[in-house]
Amino acid sequence: MNHELVLVLDFGGQYNQLIARRVRECGVYCEVKPYTTPLAELKAMNPIGIIFTGGPNSVYLDTSPQVDPEIFTWGVPILGICYGCQLMAHNLGGLVTPAQEDTAREYGKTVTYYDTSCRLFQDLPEQGISWMSHGDYMAKVPDGFALVGHTDMCPNAAIADEVRGFYGVQYHPEVNHTENGLGMIRNFLYAVCHAKGDWTMGDYCRTAIASIREKVGDGKVLLALSGGVDSSVAAALLAEAVGSQLTCVFVDHGLMRLNEGDEVEQAFSKWDIQFIRVDAEARFLGKLDGVDDPESKRKIIGEEFIRVFEEESKKIGAVDFLAQGTIYPDVIESGAGDAAVIKSHHNVGGLPDFVDFKEILEPLRMLFKDEVRQLGRELGLPEYLVSRQPFPGPGLAIRIIGCITKEKADTLRLADYIFRDEIAKAGEDKNLNQYFAVLTNTRSVGVMGDGRTYDYTLALRAVTTADFMTADWARIPYDVLDKISVRIVNEVPGINRICYDITSKPPATIEWE
C-alpha cells in the first residue's frame, strides 16, 4: 500500500502512539519506529516528514537516546516535540542545560504565545494554553533558527528554521490539553510537508481486501473469534476478502454479556463463511469452580480457550493461515518493551504451535482502535459490535469478585444489562468510554417487602478516558443512577444494595480484578 508516509521516531515518550493517531486523523498515514532503527531502513521508507517524540531523558547525558545527525541532511522536514526539540537543538549546534527556577522548568497547562507568520502556526490564534512537561532548557538556539513561540517564563517554547523545514516545540501539541495542537500538526503535514492526505478508511478497506485476496489465493484461513471489536472486524474483513475459505471458531465460555453470543452469530450470518460456535459454558465453569484469585481465573480461562480452540481446529485439519486481530498499539507496545506489566493480558495472540498452519495473518496490525471501528462500519458490521466497549478476554469472570458460579454469572449478566440499557436510554453512552457492573462478594442485610434479606452488593463502574492509561470516574446524573438502582434491585434476584465506584485511574485500575 503506497500511501505517503510520516515517520514518528520514538524516544520513549508516553504519548508516541497519540502523535501517530493525530497524524492519521489529519488524513496522512504514519508509522512509529524506535529511535534505534537503522538510518538506511528509515530512508528506504521515503517519508515526507519526520516527527521526533518526547522522552524522559536529558539530551546532554551520554546515556540518553540519540539519532544519527545524517538524518538532518535528507532535506525531509522534521518536527521535534519536547525531548525531540532539544535533541534537534543539541545536534544542530544549540545548547541544552538543566532548567533553573528562572528558566522555566514547566509542567502542565501554560499560556503560550505564537508567531503566526510561521508556517507551523499559520491561520491559528496568537495565544493559547499548551501542555508543557520539561525540566531542561535551550540556553542557546542553533544558528538559522528563529524563536516562534514563548511563554512568560520561557523565551523559546517553539523554534523554527523555515528554510530547512525544521521545527521544535517544548510542549505537547498531540494532547487534548494543548489548544489548537491538532491544527499545528495539520500545518506541519500540509503547509510544511505538502501532504496530499490520502489516508481514508474506505480506501484502506478496498486495498486491504485486494491484498488479502492476493496473499491467501485459494488457501484456507482459521480465526479465533472472541466477539470483541478487533477479532470481529478482522473476521469481517477476511469474510469480505475470501468468503467460504474462512473458518471462524467462536468459543462461548458462558461469561459473555446478555445475548452477546447470539448477537455475534447474527452479525456474521450475512457472509458465506464457516462459522463454528462452541457452547463451552459448563466446561469453563467446571474449571473455575472454587477459584477466587483473579490471576488464576485469567490463566485458567486463557488456557482453556486455547484447549477448546485446539480441539475444534483438529476437526478442521490443516489450514494455510491462522488469522489474529492484532492491532497497531499491540505491535508498538511489544516493540517498546519497557512499559511495566500491570496484569497478565489474555490475548489470543498467544495461540500456539499445535494448530496446523503455515503462516500468521494479521490484517489489522497497522490500525489504531478508532480506525478499526471505522473499518468495521465500512464493512457493514452492526454498530453494537463496532462501538462495543473494551471487554476483557476472561469476560465476566473478573467482574465477579471471588468464586464464580452459574447463578452469579446470570445475576451479573442481568444487572449489567439493565445498567447499560438505562445509560443508553438516558443518552449518557455518548459521554462514557467504559461502563459495567461488578458483582462483589460482600453480602449485607436489606429489607424487601416485610422481610429481611441477606444479599449481594453490586458495584457500578463508569469512566471517561482518552487513552485508557488514565481515567476519571464519570459524573452520571443522580436521577439516572437512581433509576438504574431501583430497576436492578427490583428485577434482579440476589442483589439488595448498589454502590457507585468514584475512584479514578490511578490509583485504581478500570477493572476491579
Side-chain angles (χ1 to χ4, degrees):
M1 299 182 206
N2 295 323
H3 295 282
E4 50 184 10
L5 166 77
V6 165
L7 275 178
V8 172
L9 213 51
D10 176 16
F11 291 95
Q14 55 177 328
Y15 300 123
N16 52 23
Q17 290 185 29
L18 194 53
I19 297 168
R21 272 180 54 193
R22 294 288 182 248
V23 172
R24 291 191 188 182
E25 278 169 32
C26 294
V28 179
Y29 182 63
C30 180
E31 286 188 25
V32 180
K33 291 286 179 191
Y35 74 92
T36 49
T37 310
L39 229 50
E41 188 183 319
L42 298 178
K43 194 165 190 179
M45 295 175 79
N46 198 21
I48 60 167
I50 298 169
I51 299 177
F52 293 171
T53 72
N57 302 281
S58 290
V59 71
Y60 43 78
L61 300 177
D62 295 343
T63 52
S64 59
Q66 296 295 334
V67 65
D68 187 327
E70 190 208 309
I71 203 164
F72 298 106
T73 65
W74 291 355
V76 176
I78 299 176
L79 170 62
I81 294 174
C82 205
Y83 179 84
C85 170
Q86 294 167 359
L87 182 75
M88 191 187 299
H90 182 73
N91 271 285
L92 296 174
L95 179 66
V96 179
T97 62
Q100 307 304 319
E101 284 313 308
D102 60 342
T103 53
R105 181 185 285 115
E106 292 174 308
Y107 292 100
K109 296 178 179 181
T110 311
V111 177
T112 309
Y113 308 92
Y114 305 103
D115 176 352
T116 55
S117 67
C118 169
R119 282 182 294 182
L120 202 59
F121 307 121
Q122 65 185 36
D123 306 322
L124 295 174
E126 290 182 353
Q127 76 171 73
I129 299 287
S130 74
W131 182 259
M132 291 282 185
S133 175
H134 64 98
D136 285 329
Y137 175 67
M138 268 184 293
K140 175 175 178 288
V141 174
D143 293 344
F145 280 80
L147 301 180
V148 291
H150 67 275
T151 67
D152 292 337
M153 288 283 281
C154 178
N156 47 29
I159 58 173
D161 178 339
E162 300 255 51
V163 178
R164 289 187 285 181
F166 294 164
Y167 298 83
V169 296
Q170 291 276 26
Y171 52 86
H172 287 275
E174 71 278 14
V175 301
N176 288 331
H177 301 304
T178 296
E179 292 172 346
N180 307 301
L182 191 62
M184 295 168 197
I185 292 172
R186 187 182 297 277
N187 277 345
F188 177 68
L189 298 171
Y190 289 92
V192 179
C193 303
H194 307 297
K196 296 190 293 291
D198 61 2
W199 173 251
T200 69
M201 267 306 109
D203 179 39
Y204 176 81
C205 185
R206 287 183 291 278
T207 322
I209 288 169
S211 74
I212 289 168
R213 279 183 189 147
E214 187 182 333
K215 179 161 190 167
V216 171
D218 55 6
K220 287 168 74 173
V221 185
L222 175 64
L223 173 82
L225 181 62
S226 70
V229 177
D230 304 337
S231 71
S232 297
V233 173
L237 185 61
L238 290 161
E240 199 63 41
V242 299
S244 60
Q245 293 160 253
L246 171 67
T247 301
C248 289
V249 175
F250 171 48
V251 178
D252 188 343
H253 51 31
L255 296 158
M256 309 282 280
R257 291 175 294 194
L258 196 67
N259 304 329
E260 208 153 42
D262 297 342
E263 287 175 354
V264 171
E265 192 168 352
Q266 178 60 38
F268 286 95
S269 59
K270 67 176 198 171
W271 282 286
D272 174 29
I273 61 173
Q274 319 293 325
F275 189 94
I276 300 169
R277 179 174 175 181
V278 188
D279 178 5
E281 179 183 48
R283 179 171 173 169
F284 275 86
L285 290 177
K287 289 276 182 190
L288 290 163
D289 189 28
V291 177
D292 64 356
D293 173 64
E295 280 300 302
S296 304
K297 291 181 193 176
R298 285 173 186 275
K299 288 197 172 69
I300 288 168
I301 290 171
E303 282 164 23
E304 201 57 23
F305 190 96
I306 290 172
R307 293 293 90 78
V308 176
F309 183 73
E310 180 186 12
E311 286 165 25
E312 292 302 321
S313 62
K314 279 190 177 141
K315 296 177 194 168
I316 298 158
V319 295
D320 302 284
F321 298 93
L322 177 67
Q324 294 181 175
T326 314
I327 67 173
Y328 200 35
D330 305 330
V331 175
I332 298 175
E333 278 159 15
S334 58
D338 31 22
V341 179
I342 303 283
K343 52 180 180 252
S344 66
H345 187 62
H346 159 54
N347 183 356
V348 189
L351 279 175
D353 329 329
F354 46 64
V355 176
D356 192 4
F357 66 95
K358 296 181 190 134
E359 206 178 326
I360 284 189
L361 203 55
E362 295 176 314
L364 310 179
R365 67 176 283 119
M366 297 318 284
L367 300 185
F368 285 106
K369 191 71 155 198
D370 39 359
E371 295 173 317
V372 173
R373 294 188 199 277
Q374 202 45 49
L375 178 59
R377 293 183 184 105
E378 293 281 343
L379 290 161
L381 276 176
E383 193 59 34
Y384 64 75
L385 263 190
V386 172
S387 59
R388 187 174 188 261
Q389 303 176 56
F391 189 58
L396 300 180
I398 56 167
R399 292 178 180 173
I400 295 168
I401 311 298
C403 297
I404 299 165
T405 62
K406 178 160 170 50
E407 292 71 36
K408 282 188 183 177
D410 289 341
T411 298
L412 179 56
R413 239 188 295 276
L414 187 52
D416 179 73
Y417 170 76
I418 291 170
F419 181 28
R420 290 183 296 123
D421 185 46
E422 288 298 334
I423 288 290
K425 281 180 184 161
E428 283 293 317
D429 50 341
K430 293 182 285 295
N431 308 327
L432 307 176
N433 299 96
Q434 196 173 358
Y435 51 101
F436 54 88
V438 175
L439 187 63
T440 73
N441 52 1
T442 301
R443 299 178 77 172
S444 66
V445 175
V447 180
M448 282 201 186
D450 295 328
R452 286 161 78 77
T453 58
Y454 188 62
D455 283 331
Y456 285 103
T457 300
L458 184 85
L460 304 177
R461 181 77 163 135
V463 298
T464 57
T465 173
D467 53 12
F468 290 92
M469 305 295 239
T470 61
D472 196 14
W473 64 274
R475 276 54 169 181
I476 297 173
Y478 287 161
D479 55 337
V480 179
L481 285 172
D482 181 54
K483 198 173 283 184
I484 292 163
S485 173
V486 170
R487 265 195 73 187
I488 291 174
V489 171
N490 279 304
E491 296 175 35
V492 185
I495 294 176
N496 67 356
R497 194 178 290 266
I498 312 282
C499 296
Y500 184 48
D501 180 348
I502 56 167
T503 329
S504 294
K505 173 186 178 180
T509 50
I510 294 174
E511 297 285 349
W512 275 39
E513 285 197 342

